[in-house]
């Protein structure tokens, strides 16, 4: 079972719920939860600003208790940020960027346990590094 | 260090583009320098490779910082080498348009092509600079060139700080956005900073400077480091090279706003908007040299925007696409078919770097009507290029990304309209200098790194002279 230094079990459930709405998967692609990427959430949360982390905790905590269709509606509304006035638009963008930021970063970083997401999307960037390790600069 | 605190001739805050050059100039002159850098120190075989780790470990804010409207994201490096580790290493001199504007705004006489030339020469001599060979241009660059030709626009090859990218081995430069694994990219740790350290400069990584002050006969610097907690260092002079946001916010936190009323203002960032287009066949924009061409159209320059042939790794591309769920995945499945062009705005409406009551950095930055007109002209040109080359679908970028962070401590002769003097000193201070992108008087509309290097060499010479006087 995934645990996190920063997210409670409930907040992790909220992240998994919204993650599967953002990345539902299909025959070819795993869903967010199937990808296993959530296990690596602390690799990013360790470096996020305290205030941003607090915001994410709040949102994931809320998503845990809301029914799936309500979470989907909030996300869909946040997509319409350009049509929302001033501070409402800014808040919508923050939610949209925050949620998609966590989910996409985990999913497309290809750190999960299942089939390689990079392979599935055809991303094969590489640099062939010399065998000899570098010394200190 | 405890009570036996060493004193230095100079302390340099930030081991990025500017800090490395100043450290090199000072240590070559035999001065004892300490460089304090908040970020970690990596080498070619230790740079984080997963996008998740790279974003969090190489940038402030865990990857991106937002403006107060959350419609512009700022990418600010936090690593030994600063922006030179994560940037694309495109190196341009400024043209007369940029330097004339700087001279008029600042009253600083050396903002001319002629006076800057020796400093550009010096900066260029420290790096290996190459144009991307035409035979390695990828399909994304070809679409860019074909679209320009079809519309009668002018483009030009890019000059890059690189030594041997070994494209013949199939290497893809996009990887090097999180640190070059073969030390081909001429980042500071493999060029200028290496020479500074060889000449005796001392570097402390993972050490964030919290407060600075000018005291009798010198400066004090309080910093917090990973292992040692808070420590205070002393030196004869202080050089601020923490980047536009880093330097401005450090000075604000240190209480300099009262004597420098313009501190944090005049902040520019070249907001960039990435546009994607889907083609029938694979474009593979991530292969080979990621960027080969730039716009060089005199009309674009006049209208205040430029176009760049760019791309980004999957997380960043996913973030640029609107929507989520099956529709999003359907688009990402066609990642190989994406071409990408970026509009970079020469912003003329300055923003402001502030620090709130809790000491957090706040970035206020908006486009005004003129900036939006510049951006929209750029959007129209991108549409023309994509439509002329057979794009099936165009996804217009709506989120601004700022990589060129400039101003906040603008240089000028008049303390009433600027923060830093032409001698690179904070107005009213004898021993505190700023040398990084924060001193830019406005947005040049041209890649800034080479000019930051040139100005830093000039500043280095000035500081050596002052310290020896
Ligand atoms: C993705 C990307 C691509 C880019 N591509 C190009 C390009 O192709 N060409 C170009 O010209 N420019 C490019 N740039 C911009 C260029 O890299 C920067 O303009 C340049 O590096 C800025 O130099 P600087 O010395 O002002 O700051 P930086 O190089 O950012 O260095 C500042 C350093 O100071 C450190 N610091 C800040 N505050 C503190 C503190 N309080 N205590 C200790 N350390 C601190 C930071 O961690 C950082 O390492 C790009 C930038 C990015 C992010």
């Amino acid at each position: 079972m995934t645990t996190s230094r920063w997210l409670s079990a409930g907040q992790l459930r909220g992240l998994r719920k919204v993650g599967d709405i953002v990345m539902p998967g299909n025959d070819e692609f795993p869903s967010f939860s199937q990808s296993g990427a959530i296990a690596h959430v602390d690799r990013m949360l360790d470096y996020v600003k305290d205030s941003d982390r607090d915001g994410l905790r709040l949102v994931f905590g809320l998503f845990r208790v809301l029914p799936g269709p309500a979470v989907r509606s909030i996300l869909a509304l946040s997509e319409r940020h350009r049509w929302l006035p001033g501070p409402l638009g800014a808040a919508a963008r923050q939610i949209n960027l925050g949620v998609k930021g966590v989910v996409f970063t985990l999913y497309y970083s290809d750190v999960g346990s299942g089939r390689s997401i990079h392979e599935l999307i055809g991303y094969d960037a590489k640099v062939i590094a010399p065998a000899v390790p570098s010394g200190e600069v | 260090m405890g009570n036996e605190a060493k004193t230095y001739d100079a302390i340099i805050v930030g081991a990025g583009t500017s800090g490395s050059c100043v450290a090199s100039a000072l240590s070559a002159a035999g001065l004892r320098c300490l460089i304090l850098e908040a970020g970690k120190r990596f080498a070619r075989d230790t740079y984080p490779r997963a996008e998740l780790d790279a974003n969090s470990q190489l940038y402030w804010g865990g990857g991106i910082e937002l403006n107060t409207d959350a419609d512009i994201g700022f990418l600010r490096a936090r690593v030994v080498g600063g922006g030179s580790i994560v940037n694309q290493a495109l190196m341009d001199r400024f043209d007369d348009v940029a330097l004339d504007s700087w001279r008029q705004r600042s009253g600083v006489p050396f903002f001319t092509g002629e006076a800057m030339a020796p400093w550009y020469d010096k900066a260029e001599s420290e790096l290996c600079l190459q144009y991307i060979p035409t035979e390695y241009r990828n399909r994304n660059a070809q679409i860019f060139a074909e679209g320009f030709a079809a519309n009668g626009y002018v483009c030009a090859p890019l000059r890059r700080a690189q030594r041997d990218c070994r494209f013949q081995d199939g290497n893809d430069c996009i990887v090097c956005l999180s640190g070059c694994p073969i030390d081909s990219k001429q980042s500071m740790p493999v060029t200028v900073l290496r020479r500074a350290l060889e000449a005796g400069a001392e570097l402390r990584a993972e050490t964030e400077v919290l407060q600075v002050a000018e005291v009798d006969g010198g400066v004090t610097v309080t910093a917090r480091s990973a292992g040692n907690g808070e420590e205070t260092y002393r030196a004869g002079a202080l050089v601020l090279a923490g980047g536009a946001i880093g330097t401005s916010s450090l000075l604000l936190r240190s209480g300099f706003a009262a004597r420098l009323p313009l501190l944090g203002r005049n902040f520019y960032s070249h907001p960039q908007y990435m546009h994607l287009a889907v083609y029938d066949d694979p474009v593979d924009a991530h292969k080979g040299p990621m960027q080969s061409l730039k716009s060089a159209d005199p009309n674009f320059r006049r209208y205040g925007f430029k176009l760049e042939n760019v791309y980004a790794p999957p997380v960043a591309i996913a973030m640029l696409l609107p929507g989520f769920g099956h529709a999003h995945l359907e688009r990402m499945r066609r990642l190989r078919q994406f071409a990408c062009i970026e509009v970079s705005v020469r912003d003329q409406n300055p923003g402001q770097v502030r620090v709130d009551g809790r000491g957090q950095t706040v970035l206020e930055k908006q486009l005004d009507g003129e900036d939006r007109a510049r951006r929209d002209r750029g959007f129209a040109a991108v549409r023309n290029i994509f439509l002329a080359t057979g794009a099936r679908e165009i996804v217009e970028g709506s989120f601004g990304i700022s990589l060129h962070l400039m101003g906040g401590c603008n240089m000028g002769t008049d303390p009433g309209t600027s923060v830093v003097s032409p001698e690179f000193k904070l107005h009213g201070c004898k021993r505190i200098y700023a040398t990084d992108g924060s001193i830019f008087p406005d947005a040049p509309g041209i890649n800034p790194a080479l000019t930051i290097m040139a100005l830093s060499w000039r500043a280095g010479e000035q500081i050596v002279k002052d310290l020896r006087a």
Side-chain angles (χ1 to χ4, degrees):
Chain A
M1 208 189 82
T2 301
T3 54
S4 160
R5 274 187 298 284
W6 302 107
L7 300 180
S8 67
Q11 289 157 349
L12 279 169
R13 272 203 293 279
L15 168 57
R16 202 171 285 119
K17 185 192 281 180
V18 70
D20 282 343
I21 290 171
V22 174
M23 298 302 309
N26 57 23
D27 290 351
E28 218 179 328
F29 285 80
S31 66
F32 176 69
S33 45
Q34 284 164 346
S35 76
I38 197 171
H40 302 270
V41 69
D42 283 351
R43 273 163 73 176
M44 64 187 299
L45 291 184
D46 280 348
Y47 296 90
V48 164
K49 272 199 305 202
D50 290 348
S51 53
D52 291 346
R53 212 161 31 217
D54 290 347
L56 288 170
R57 277 191 187 132
L58 196 79
V59 170
F60 296 144
L62 182 72
F63 285 173
R64 179 182 101 75
V65 293
L66 289 178
V71 174
R72 177 185 297 279
S73 304
I74 293 176
L75 257 190
L77 183 70
S78 77
E79 285 287 328
R80 303 185 62 79
H81 55 81
R82 273 206 268 183
W83 291 274
L84 296 172
L88 218 56
R93 272 188 292 278
Q94 262 161 1
I95 293 175
N96 194 269
L97 290 168
V99 170
K100 282 175 29 177
V102 173
V103 174
F104 286 161
T105 301
L106 288 167
Y107 191 83
Y108 290 114
S109 284
D110 207 11
V111 292
S113 44
R115 182 119 190 252
S116 161
I117 304 294
H118 282 180
E119 218 172 279
L120 287 168
I121 57 177
Y123 182 76
D124 58 353
K126 62 169 192 317
V127 167
I128 299 165
V132 206
S134 65
E136 281 279 278
V137 287
Chain B
M1 286 196 11
N3 291 331
E4 292 164 49
K6 268 204 254 177
T7 57
Y8 297 86
D9 293 316
I11 293 175
I12 297 163
V13 180
T17 300
S18 174
S20 301
C21 295
V22 174
S24 190
L26 267 52
S27 38
L31 297 172
R32 289 167 12 113
C33 299
L34 171 66
I35 315 167
L36 300 174
E37 165 58 52
K40 289 188 191 167
R41 186 179 184 181
F42 293 98
R44 69 180 179 209
D45 50 348
T46 60
Y47 285 116
R49 293 274 65 113
E51 226 177 321
L52 162 107
D53 300 315
N55 294 347
S56 26
Q57 294 182 39
L58 302 178
Y59 287 98
W60 290 81
I64 198 161
E65 296 166 289
L66 296 177
N67 64 342
T68 43
D69 288 344
D71 59 358
I72 301 179
F74 299 86
L75 296 186
R76 173 161 72 111
R78 179 189 173 119
V79 56
V80 169
S84 76
I85 300 297
V86 296
N87 71 13
Q88 249 298 92
L90 307 175
M91 294 290 162
D92 295 314
R93 290 189 181 204
F94 284 3
D95 60 10
D96 287 344
V97 176
L99 290 171
D100 289 351
S101 168
W102 275 21
R103 199 173 58 258
Q104 277 151 25
R105 264 173 194 266
S106 66
V108 176
F110 63 75
F111 288 143
T112 65
E114 207 185 352
M116 288 290 289
W119 304 107
Y120 277 128
D121 291 345
K122 169 69 180 157
E124 287 168 351
S125 73
E126 296 286 331
L127 309 168
C128 176
L129 296 168
Q130 299 178 337
Y131 287 91
I132 308 294
T134 317
E135 66 268 31
Y136 292 117
R137 274 185 201 165
N138 65 15
R139 179 82 194 113
N140 196 35
Q142 285 162 14
I143 288 171
F144 192 86
E146 285 163 22
F148 265 66
N151 285 284
Y153 303 148
V154 183
C155 66
L158 286 167
R159 187 172 68 151
R160 190 161 186 264
Q162 61 178 46
R163 182 170 288 283
D164 179 16
C165 292
R166 301 209 308 262
F167 295 121
Q168 67 278 11
D169 295 349
N171 285 344
D172 305 316
C173 286
I174 200 167
V175 171
C176 306
L177 289 178
S178 49
C180 180
I182 52 172
D183 282 349
S184 169
K185 182 157 79 176
Q186 301 283 280
S187 65
M188 295 298 111
V190 299
T191 55
V192 178
L193 180 61
R194 176 195 288 271
R195 292 191 265 282
L197 300 181
E198 282 166 1
E202 209 177 296
L203 168 68
R204 289 192 180 211
E206 296 180 75
T207 303
E208 181 176 352
V209 175
L210 307 173
Q211 288 273 332
V212 298
E214 189 167 37
V215 293
D216 253 1
V219 295
T220 60
V221 171
T222 308
R224 186 179 40 218
S225 57
N228 297 336
E230 270 186 36
E231 282 185 289
T232 299
Y233 303 87
R234 285 182 175 70
L238 173 64
V239 183
L240 299 172
I245 296 175
T247 293
S248 303
S249 55
L250 175 58
L251 285 171
L252 288 164
R253 272 186 210 108
S254 304
F256 281 76
R259 57 168 126 159
L260 296 166
L262 287 171
L263 183 59
R265 293 177 188 272
N266 294 308
F267 170 62
Y268 297 87
S269 70
H270 290 164
Q272 310 190 348
Y273 295 84
M274 286 171 83
H275 298 251
L276 299 164
V278 187
Y279 285 76
D280 285 339
D281 298 321
V283 174
D284 284 335
H286 62 283
K287 302 304 288 175
M290 196 183 83
Q291 292 184 264
S292 309
L293 293 165
K294 62 177 176 183
S295 65
D297 198 291
N299 283 330
F300 292 6
R301 183 79 177 121
R302 205 169 44 243
Y303 295 149
F305 72 88
K306 71 176 168 135
L307 301 189
E308 288 196 355
N309 148 234
V310 290
Y311 205 54
V315 172
I317 296 293
M319 289 301 291
L320 293 170
L321 296 173
F324 56 89
H326 292 293
H328 161 84
L329 193 54
E330 207 32 54
R331 278 207 173 112
M332 283 301 281
R333 237 170 40 81
R334 290 186 290 166
L335 186 83
R336 292 188 58 204
Q337 289 156 251
F338 287 176
C340 182
I341 298 177
E342 178 174 87
V343 176
S344 174
V345 178
R346 183 182 182 201
D347 47 330
Q348 56 92 54
N349 182 44
Q352 186 176 353
V353 178
R354 288 196 301 106
V355 168
D356 69 14
R358 290 175 304 154
Q360 304 280 318
T361 302
V362 178
L363 302 168
E364 280 173 6
K365 176 78 193 163
Q366 279 148 5
L367 305 193
D368 67 359
E370 170 58 24
D371 287 340
R372 283 196 295 274
R374 293 173 180 208
R375 180 197 63 187
D376 293 347
R377 278 198 152 123
F379 282 19
V382 174
R383 268 195 304 276
N384 291 341
I385 292 166
F386 282 148
L387 291 175
T389 48
R392 290 284 161 215
E393 184 196 350
I394 298 174
V395 182
E396 230 167 51
S398 61
F399 182 68
I401 304 160
S402 290
L403 325 164
H404 298 166
L405 309 173
M406 304 163 293
C409 302
N410 63 312
M411 180 181 273
T413 48
D414 177 1
T417 58
S418 61
V419 175
V420 169
S421 75
E423 290 75 40
F424 298 87
K425 280 183 196 166
L426 298 188
H427 288 303
C429 290
K430 289 200 183 89
R431 296 165 179 279
I432 305 184
Y433 300 81
T435 57
D436 53 24
S438 72
I439 65 175
F440 279 25
D442 69 14
I446 297 175
N447 279 311
L450 189 70
T451 302
I452 293 174
M453 290 185 74
L455 289 172
S456 300
W457 289 113
R458 185 182 176 111
E461 187 187 77
Q462 174 74 44
I463 298 166
V464 169
K465 216 188 291 169
D466 290 352
L467 286 176
R468 285 197 172 139

